[in-house]
mmCIF file of all heavy atoms in Angstrom:
data_model
loop_
_atom_site.group_PDB
_atom_site.id
_atom_site.type_symbol
_atom_site.label_atom_id
_atom_site.label_comp_id
_atom_site.label_asym_id
_atom_site.label_seq_id
_atom_site.Cartn_x
_atom_site.Cartn_y
_atom_site.Cartn_z
ATOM 1 N N LEU A 175 35.086 -8.962 54.482
ATOM 2 C CA LEU A 175 34.903 -8.618 55.876
ATOM 3 C C LEU A 175 35.737 -9.437 56.820
ATOM 4 O O LEU A 175 36.286 -8.951 57.792
ATOM 5 C CB LEU A 175 33.415 -8.765 56.273
ATOM 6 C CG LEU A 175 32.476 -7.658 55.686
ATOM 7 C CD1 LEU A 175 31.070 -7.985 55.987
ATOM 8 C CD2 LEU A 175 32.854 -6.280 56.257
ATOM 9 N N THR A 176 35.889 -10.734 56.507
ATOM 10 C CA THR A 176 36.671 -11.615 57.310
ATOM 11 C C THR A 176 38.141 -11.189 57.281
ATOM 12 O O THR A 176 38.791 -11.149 58.332
ATOM 13 C CB THR A 176 36.484 -13.065 56.791
ATOM 14 O OG1 THR A 176 35.168 -13.433 56.848
ATOM 15 C CG2 THR A 176 37.321 -14.015 57.656
ATOM 16 N N LEU A 177 38.650 -10.889 56.113
ATOM 17 C CA LEU A 177 40.064 -10.466 55.982
ATOM 18 C C LEU A 177 40.286 -9.117 56.614
ATOM 19 O O LEU A 177 41.374 -8.833 57.113
ATOM 20 C CB LEU A 177 40.440 -10.482 54.510
ATOM 21 C CG LEU A 177 40.489 -11.783 53.893
ATOM 22 C CD1 LEU A 177 40.823 -11.647 52.380
ATOM 23 C CD2 LEU A 177 41.495 -12.721 54.494
ATOM 24 N N ALA A 178 39.259 -8.254 56.589
ATOM 25 C CA ALA A 178 39.511 -6.894 57.194
ATOM 26 C C ALA A 178 39.278 -6.857 58.679
ATOM 27 O O ALA A 178 39.670 -5.887 59.335
ATOM 28 C CB ALA A 178 38.577 -5.922 56.484
ATOM 29 N N ALA A 179 38.625 -7.881 59.161
ATOM 30 C CA ALA A 179 38.316 -7.861 60.641
ATOM 31 C C ALA A 179 39.601 -7.917 61.474
ATOM 32 O O ALA A 179 40.597 -8.604 61.062
ATOM 33 C CB ALA A 179 37.473 -9.089 61.013
ATOM 34 N N PRO A 180 39.668 -7.257 62.614
ATOM 35 C CA PRO A 180 40.845 -7.272 63.398
ATOM 36 C C PRO A 180 41.033 -8.718 63.984
ATOM 37 O O PRO A 180 40.072 -9.370 64.284
ATOM 38 C CB PRO A 180 40.579 -6.229 64.519
ATOM 39 C CG PRO A 180 39.142 -6.084 64.550
ATOM 40 C CD PRO A 180 38.641 -6.365 63.180
ATOM 41 N N ALA A 181 42.307 -9.070 64.059
ATOM 42 C CA ALA A 181 42.495 -10.376 64.725
ATOM 43 C C ALA A 181 42.156 -10.348 66.120
ATOM 44 O O ALA A 181 42.271 -9.364 66.873
ATOM 45 C CB ALA A 181 44.047 -10.711 64.530
ATOM 46 N N LEU A 182 41.748 -11.499 66.612
ATOM 47 C CA LEU A 182 41.448 -11.665 68.068
ATOM 48 C C LEU A 182 42.666 -11.511 68.833
ATOM 49 O O LEU A 182 43.769 -12.146 68.490
ATOM 50 C CB LEU A 182 40.816 -12.984 68.354
ATOM 51 C CG LEU A 182 39.400 -13.203 67.763
ATOM 52 C CD1 LEU A 182 38.895 -14.622 68.021
ATOM 53 C CD2 LEU A 182 38.441 -12.197 68.344
ATOM 54 N N LYS A 183 42.690 -10.794 69.831
ATOM 55 C CA LYS A 183 43.856 -10.559 70.654
ATOM 56 C C LYS A 183 43.960 -11.783 71.674
ATOM 57 O O LYS A 183 42.973 -12.256 72.149
ATOM 58 C CB LYS A 183 43.756 -9.308 71.483
ATOM 59 C CG LYS A 183 43.861 -8.077 70.633
ATOM 60 C CD LYS A 183 43.880 -6.798 71.473
ATOM 61 C CE LYS A 183 43.955 -5.583 70.600
ATOM 62 N NZ LYS A 183 43.925 -4.382 71.359
ATOM 63 N N GLU A 184 45.210 -12.185 71.858
ATOM 64 C CA GLU A 184 45.440 -13.272 72.839
ATOM 65 C C GLU A 184 45.162 -12.738 74.253
ATOM 66 O O GLU A 184 45.482 -11.561 74.525
ATOM 67 C CB GLU A 184 46.839 -13.779 72.783
ATOM 68 C CG GLU A 184 47.071 -14.564 71.502
ATOM 69 C CD GLU A 184 48.506 -15.138 71.484
ATOM 70 O OE1 GLU A 184 49.066 -15.423 72.561
ATOM 71 O OE2 GLU A 184 49.036 -15.361 70.398
ATOM 72 N N ARG A 185 44.621 -13.515 75.046
ATOM 73 C CA ARG A 185 44.399 -13.093 76.468
ATOM 74 C C ARG A 185 45.784 -12.907 77.090
ATOM 75 O O ARG A 185 46.683 -13.748 76.862
ATOM 76 C CB ARG A 185 43.688 -14.177 77.242
ATOM 77 C CG ARG A 185 42.212 -14.150 76.982
ATOM 78 C CD ARG A 185 41.594 -15.098 77.951
ATOM 79 N NE ARG A 185 40.172 -14.906 77.907
ATOM 80 C CZ ARG A 185 39.256 -15.701 78.433
ATOM 81 N NH1 ARG A 185 39.678 -16.779 79.065
ATOM 82 N NH2 ARG A 185 38.004 -15.410 78.370
ATOM 83 N N PRO A 186 45.935 -11.918 77.867
ATOM 84 C CA PRO A 186 47.236 -11.686 78.546
ATOM 85 C C PRO A 186 47.466 -12.876 79.508
ATOM 86 O O PRO A 186 46.509 -13.296 80.181
ATOM 87 C CB PRO A 186 47.070 -10.379 79.263
ATOM 88 C CG PRO A 186 45.648 -10.053 79.295
ATOM 89 C CD PRO A 186 45.010 -10.807 78.185
#
Side-chain angles (χ1 to χ4, degrees):
L175 287 173
T176 302
L177 292 174
L182 293 176
K183 292 183 181 178
E184 290 184 27
R185 283 189 168 168

